[in-house]
Amino acid sequence: MMYQLEHRARVMHLIATNFYGGPEKQIVEHLKRIDRESFEPVVGSFIEAGAENEILTRAAMEGIPTRGVEMKGLFDVGAYFRLLGALREEEVTLLCMHGYKANVMGHFAAASLKIPTIAFSRGYTAENRKVALYEWLERRFLGSQNALVAVSSGQLKKLKGFGISSKKERVV
């Protein structure tokens, strides 16, 4: 399915994180420099109860609009509906998803709203059962996104080893 973006797309970069490290810095720096004539940026992140969300704080300090989505527990069905509401309210026309939780939750929400997606794949840790399950789920949907971005040629090779490919795949 081919999507035509509006003249000025509302692009949300969605990531599930509570801290501000390498990927988060890349997202904020990219959105600081994005062509504002063509794109209206917003940073979205899942917020765990009682946790500070550094990417939302830092993005807001840089003048980038932010949107938190409350997440209660491992599989919070309510978070899916809150994400749907956030995508509607923010009038998102392109969803860029970073990491297993954003890729899984974002896949379903964007599909429901017919929003085109770009999935970013940085690697796998399977550090615990929760992460391993989310990573397994993520691999089921990565190839069906409008575009797939691997952060290294090694990661793209790993994805292909899992049988994941996309007509629009890129390495950055």
Side-chain angles (χ1 to χ4, degrees):
M1 180 181 285
M2 191 66 154
Y3 290 92
Q4 182 66 38
L5 293 178
E6 301 167 11
H7 170 67
R8 188 171 166 145
R10 178 74 164 171
V11 60
M12 176 185 279
H13 281 258
L14 179 66
I15 188 167
T17 184
N18 289 332
F19 60 93
Y20 192 68
E24 297 81 12
K25 289 177 183 176
Q26 290 173 344
I27 292 167
V28 170
E29 288 302 314
H30 167 70
L31 295 180
K32 281 172 47 178
R33 292 166 172 75
I34 199 166
D35 173 11
R36 297 285 177 113
E37 294 293 318
S38 300
F39 298 98
E40 294 178 63
V42 62
V43 173
S45 186
F46 295 98
I47 301 173
E48 297 175 16
E52 181 184 344
N53 192 293
E54 292 181 27
I55 188 171
L56 295 180
T57 301
R58 296 297 283 271
M61 287 171 48
E62 295 292 343
I64 302 166
T66 63
R67 184 62 183 253
V69 177
E70 186 180 12
M71 183 91 182
K72 301 175 187 174
L74 177 60
F75 291 103
D76 178 7
V77 176
Y80 166 76
F81 291 105
R82 289 186 288 278
L83 178 57
L84 278 176
L87 294 171
R88 280 188 192 108
E89 290 170 18
E90 295 291 338
E91 298 177 346
V92 172
T93 57
L94 174 63
L95 181 61
C96 298
M97 307 170 302
H98 302 263
Y100 59 86
K101 190 181 290 184
N103 282 333
V104 171
M105 299 281 285
H107 165 77
F108 288 109
S112 294
L113 299 174
K114 295 181 176 44
I115 297 171
T117 56
I118 300 173
F120 287 75
S121 179
R122 289 188 161 77
Y124 298 108
T125 64
E127 64 190 56
N128 58 42
R129 287 183 183 190
K130 174 186 117 176
V131 172
L133 177 59
Y134 262 110
E135 289 175 348
W136 179 84
L137 287 169
E138 176 193 47
R139 289 190 292 270
R140 305 286 134 333
F141 308 117
L142 280 178
S144 65
Q145 306 314 307
N146 297 95
L148 175 59
V149 178
V151 298
S152 69
S153 55
Q155 180 61 15
L156 184 60
K157 184 177 179 181
K158 188 180 290 186
L159 292 173
K160 289 183 180 290
F162 287 124
I164 300 166
S165 64
S166 171
K167 291 178 185 173
K168 292 186 179 181
E169 55 192 27
R170 299 289 184 266
V171 175
V172 294

